[in-house]
Amino acid sequence: MKKERNVKRLSLVILAISVVSAQAAPLDITGAWFRSLPGKLPAGGYFTAQNNSRRDVAITGAMSEACGMLMIHQSSNKGGMSSMEMMEQVKVPARAQVTFAPGGTHLMCEGAKMKIGTRVPVLLKLSDGTAVAVAFEVKGATGK
Ligand SMILES: [Cu+2]
């Protein structure tokens, strides 16, 4: 009888741990890559973020040892003039997907130190206080 109770308690602990780790990563990041350009040109970072949780979450920042500075940018085209704007955060609504892509929202890596064909780590900071570690594939100018 006593033994049975211990088993039950253990499974509760395991359940609690798995709930915590699910909360730790509300976003699934797929297709992450940097466009590495020659010289001192910045590298754009692209990916798809899927929010599998029932709560909205925002990407509030990014860090990488491969970048001197890593920012969130929004490309826009106003009256034929293309420009980039810094974003404080990008919201990923509950059960929805947001794509960082060329010509739209993207990461901008200034002072890039990366080699085409390798992967570099990026830490995406989220509004709920957690962070997601993502390996970005480094591709060339044509995206290959
Ligand atoms: Cu940019």
Side-chain angles (χ1 to χ4, degrees):
M1 215 40 188
K2 206 172 183 189
K3 212 175 193 179
E4 209 170 278
R5 202 184 289 160
N6 279 341
V7 169
K8 209 175 243 175
R9 200 171 288 161
L10 183 65
S11 61
L12 272 179
V13 168
I14 290 168
L15 184 69
I17 290 168
S18 58
V19 167
V20 166
S21 63
Q23 280 176 346
L27 292 187
D28 269 348
I29 308 295
T30 51
W33 66 285
F34 275 119
R35 187 200 300 278
S36 177
L37 297 175
K40 293 194 169 167
L41 288 168
Y46 313 110
F47 59 87
T48 298
Q50 167 79 39
N51 185 351
N52 290 317
S53 76
R54 267 175 254 149
R55 288 184 186 190
D56 297 351
V57 70
I59 299 168
T60 55
M63 296 187 293
S64 178
E65 61 199 28
C67 306
M69 196 158 55
L70 189 54
M71 295 162 287
I72 304 172
H73 271 182
Q74 172 70 53
S75 293
S76 62
N77 202 313
K78 284 174 195 148
M81 286 273 286
S82 64
S83 62
M84 290 194 288
E85 207 184 316
M86 270 250 262
M87 306 267 293
E88 291 276 304
Q89 55 173 37
V90 175
K91 191 172 148 186
V92 187
R95 308 266 181 227
Q97 221 177 48
V98 166
T99 300
F100 281 51
T105 310
H106 58 276
L107 295 182
M108 186 114 283
C109 171
E110 307 265 9
K113 287 177 224 96
M114 51 181 74
K115 256 189 186 164
I116 293 167
T118 65
R119 281 165 188 271
V120 295
V122 171
L123 198 65
L124 297 175
K125 291 190 275 180
L126 307 181
S127 54
D128 65 356
T130 64
V132 196
V134 188
F136 276 58
E137 230 178 295
V138 183
K139 300 182 181 183
T142 59
K144 281 176 187 165

